[in-house]
Amino acid sequence: MSAVRVGVFGLLGSGNLGNDGSLEALLGYLRAEHPEAVVDALCGGPEAVSARYRIPATRLHWYRGEYRTASRAGAVAAKGLGKAVDVFRTAAWVRRHDVVIVPGMGVLEATLPLRPWGFPYSLFLLCASGRLFGTRVALVSVGAAAIGSRPTRTLVRWSARLAAYRSYRDAPSRDAMREMGVDTTRDGVYPDLAFALPLPEAAKAAPAGPPGTVCVGVMAFHGGDDDRARAEEIHRRYLDGVTGFVRALVDEGRPVRLLTGDRVDRPVVAAILDAVDSPLVTVAETASLADLMKETAAADTVVATRYHNLICALKAGTPTLALSYAAKSDALMARMGLGTYRHPAREVDTDRLIEQFRELEKDSARLRRTLAERTLAAARQLEDQFAELTAVLFPTNGPTQAHARQETP
């Protein structure tokens, strides 16, 4: 039997730890269950992906300035040309594969600012090429949400319809796609792929930091795609609220460890350090979800915004309060038994946040037991997800079930 050619696709290697963690979990499954598979990537940061994960990788976009704002005529023309070239580049890449997998990530949502001609367009090209050439495209444990922009919603809806396989990381994601007109009857719901990652030994040992350490995960948060007119106002309120919370912890003598999940979060860290000038506030240098798990395992408590900061803290078994900016965070906290411990990222109220934080710490012992149970359950559910992927995408003989799951346009 010839080796299966597997492609992985997404904004991988671009500085987002959650996206890369999803890739790492998928590669762990492929290497364990399908070691014969020949794997490569079409992604945002091919150099980083090749260096870290030892797989060949190709740049997602022909135009290297894709994610810079094009204001001059030459840049606009180059970006437009790149969109045309990417049609053929994507099709040629897809055609070389038997299976293409989009591992996790919020590829069917616009909970953060997003233009239709950016990633939604790239995803549509992928799924349309898969349908055209008979390559099975799988959206695995992905996130989705209601989308206000009609062009973006149309691209996302058709991407999902053209995919051979879909599963979601929470029930609200599946509900959102159903409301967008996608038949989700046979689409499964499984935990985020990051729950399949092994817990690092250092995190298991939970090396003690200073007594009472609190990890605070921050984010360059400016609202969602529909909040562009109020983006700066939302960001300022978020930053002021989180800064006030950090200052209150320092005033009580609590060591604070600042966490990020994407390189774009660094200015937020710098702003907090400028505002709270104290040796009690330090910054964690994290390059992976494993690093985040180690940091959160060593803390007494975590307060975090980014989705995968939350996952790492919960997987490490540390009581966690979510600064929630989307339904995915709410669903995650509910799944893990901490649905009460949420605070709106758009309207951070420092006094209320401190109250919730104190309630969380009082309930710490019970929550640690709950998290141990829920994390084990999540890992078992992902074993089922991977078993289903094997059955659907890697059939030993006969026609694949995947094509039966595709919708007819």
Side-chain angles (χ1 to χ4, degrees):
M1 183 176 176
S2 61
V4 179
R5 299 163 299 174
V6 179
V8 291
F9 177 94
L11 294 178
L12 309 164
S14 301
N16 184 285
L17 301 187
N19 292 358
D20 291 355
S22 297
L23 171 61
E24 185 176 345
L26 178 71
L27 291 176
Y29 151 70
L30 290 174
R31 287 165 177 165
E33 301 298 327
H34 302 281
E36 78 289 348
V38 178
V39 183
D40 73 308
L42 184 63
C43 59
E47 297 86 0
V49 167
S50 291
R52 180 162 189 178
Y53 301 108
R54 306 185 309 282
I55 60 173
T58 303
R59 186 172 298 280
L60 180 59
H61 302 289
W62 175 80
Y63 178 54
R64 291 178 176 265
E66 172 65 28
Y67 295 107
R68 295 195 296 268
T69 301
S71 54
R72 292 180 297 182
V76 172
K79 183 171 281 193
L81 176 61
K83 296 300 176 188
V85 173
D86 285 344
V87 173
F88 302 98
R89 291 178 70 253
T90 302
W93 182 81
V94 169
R95 191 174 187 178
R96 295 197 299 268
H97 296 85
D98 301 300
V99 175
V100 173
I101 301 175
V102 181
M105 305 178 284
V107 297
L108 302 177
E109 64 182 51
T111 51
L112 298 176
L114 183 70
R115 298 295 190 188
W117 54 83
F119 188 78
Y121 173 76
S122 299
L123 184 65
F124 173 75
L125 291 182
L126 173 81
C127 295
S129 297
R131 175 63 70 93
L132 179 64
F133 297 116
T135 299
R136 302 184 293 278
V137 174
L139 310 180
V140 180
S141 201
V142 298
I147 297 172
S149 164
R150 179 176 292 181
T152 302
R153 185 170 63 248
T154 299
L155 288 168
V156 164
R157 179 173 62 246
W158 278 102
S159 296
R161 284 178 170 176
L162 292 168
Y165 174 88
R166 297 179 297 267
S167 66
Y168 307 97
R169 62 190 178 190
D170 51 53
S173 292
R174 183 170 62 182
D175 294 344
M177 294 312 299
R178 183 171 59 247
E179 290 167 7
M180 275 191 249
V182 176
D183 180 2
T184 62
T185 306
R186 288 177 287 179
D187 297 355
V189 173
Y190 297 95
D192 188 271
L193 291 177
F195 279 106
L197 293 172
L199 193 65
E201 287 300 322
K204 292 177 185 177
T213 297
V214 180
C215 281
V216 178
V218 302
M219 178 179 178
F221 180 63
H222 294 79
D225 201 45
D226 297 330
D227 297 317
R228 291 178 182 273
R230 298 194 309 120
E232 286 309 312
E233 173 193 341
I234 290 171
H235 180 65
R236 175 47 55 188
R237 182 163 186 173
Y238 169 81
L239 181 57
D240 288 348
V242 174
T243 301
F245 176 67
V246 171
R247 185 179 289 114
L249 292 175
V250 168
D251 287 345
E252 294 180 0
R254 300 289 294 268
V256 176
R257 193 84 163 140
L258 297 179
L259 307 177
T260 60
D262 194 299
R263 63 170 67 112
V264 302
D265 301 332
R266 292 170 186 168
V268 178
V269 169
I272 293 173
L273 291 176
D274 285 344
V276 186
D277 184 11
S278 169
L280 288 174
V281 183
T282 56
V283 181
E285 296 297 330
T286 53
S288 67
L289 294 192
D291 291 342
L292 282 171
M293 285 185 231
K294 293 174 189 175
E295 291 286 346
T296 55
D300 281 8
T301 317
V302 175
V303 177
T305 312
R306 279 200 178 273
Y307 183 73
H308 283 91
N309 275 199
L310 294 172
I311 286 180
C312 289
L314 296 168
K315 184 173 171 62
T318 305
T320 301
L321 195 158
L323 290 172
S324 176
Y325 66 88
K328 61 184 179 183
S329 300
D330 297 340
L332 171 64
M333 297 299 284
R335 176 193 284 272
M336 300 304 289
L338 282 82
T340 304
Y341 298 106
R342 297 176 288 120
H343 190 93
R346 281 178 175 77
E347 299 177 354
V348 179
D349 180 324
T350 301
D351 292 337
R352 175 57 185 148
L353 181 58
I354 292 170
E355 289 177 10
Q356 290 178 288
F357 173 77
R358 298 200 196 293
E359 292 167 7
L360 178 74
E361 293 211 309
K362 288 178 184 176
D363 205 14
S364 176
R366 181 187 69 84
L367 293 176
R368 286 182 179 274
R369 292 192 297 270
T370 298
L371 287 174
E373 296 169 0
R374 300 295 176 93
T375 299
L376 181 60
R380 287 173 175 164
Q381 289 166 345
L382 282 172
E383 290 176 1
D384 294 338
Q385 162 75 103
F386 292 141
E388 181 175 273
L389 272 186
T390 292
V392 172
L393 299 181
F394 301 92
T396 55
N397 52 58
T400 173
Q401 299 173 40
H403 288 290
R405 296 179 64 135
Q406 290 179 319
E407 294 183 41
T408 302

